[in-house]
Amino acid sequence: MASTFAVLADPSRREILDLLREREQPVGDLVDRLTLTQPTVSKHLKVLREAGLVEVRTDAQRRWYRVNPRPLAEVEAWLAPYRAMWEKSLDALERRLDEIEGD
């Protein structure tokens, strides 16, 4: 999971994942939507692929990329206790604000 965080630390890779979350796409479509060159997008896709965050399939001359949700599920599971902590704090804040409003 540490390597997943390292890969996700790059904003360009997160942007690529955001685009791939919408649908499977070839490299050319990603290049058209990003402010990056084709070689740069390809390098980021290679890093994402090696980390298991994207999968690729070949269709004739095109390589189609899609998100692999499994590594992201691991991150989600790790974050779950923190989310519960935040929600508990927000609930306490909401109760306190309601008390103040009622005074």
Side-chain angles (χ1 to χ4, degrees):
M1 185 169 45
S3 65
T4 301
F5 282 115
V7 170
L8 293 174
D10 186 285
S12 295
R13 292 186 198 125
R14 290 193 309 271
E15 189 174 5
I16 290 169
L17 284 176
D18 288 343
L19 292 173
L20 292 176
R21 186 182 65 224
E22 296 171 6
R23 68 182 185 285
E24 180 182 60
Q25 298 183 54
V27 176
D29 289 3
L30 293 169
V31 170
D32 290 344
R33 296 183 66 190
L34 298 165
T35 58
L36 303 170
T37 65
Q38 188 276 325
T40 301
V41 172
S42 292
K43 286 179 185 179
H44 284 303
L45 285 167
K46 179 181 178 186
V47 172
L48 289 164
R49 192 178 66 249
E50 288 174 351
L53 290 163
V54 298
E55 299 171 333
V56 63
R57 72 174 176 85
T58 304
D59 181 29
Q61 301 291 1
R62 298 178 100 180
R63 294 170 58 96
W64 291 80
Y65 289 86
R66 65 183 169 268
V67 172
N68 176 8
R70 284 185 298 278
L72 296 172
E74 293 173 10
V75 171
E76 168 67 20
W78 183 81
L79 286 172
Y82 295 95
R83 184 174 301 103
M85 179 183 69
W86 297 325
E87 288 172 0
K88 184 178 175 183
S89 296
L90 290 173
D91 289 345
L93 175 61
E94 183 179 20
R95 284 191 302 276
R96 181 64 184 133
L97 291 172
D98 288 344
E99 290 171 7
I100 292 171
E101 209 173 80
D103 291 343

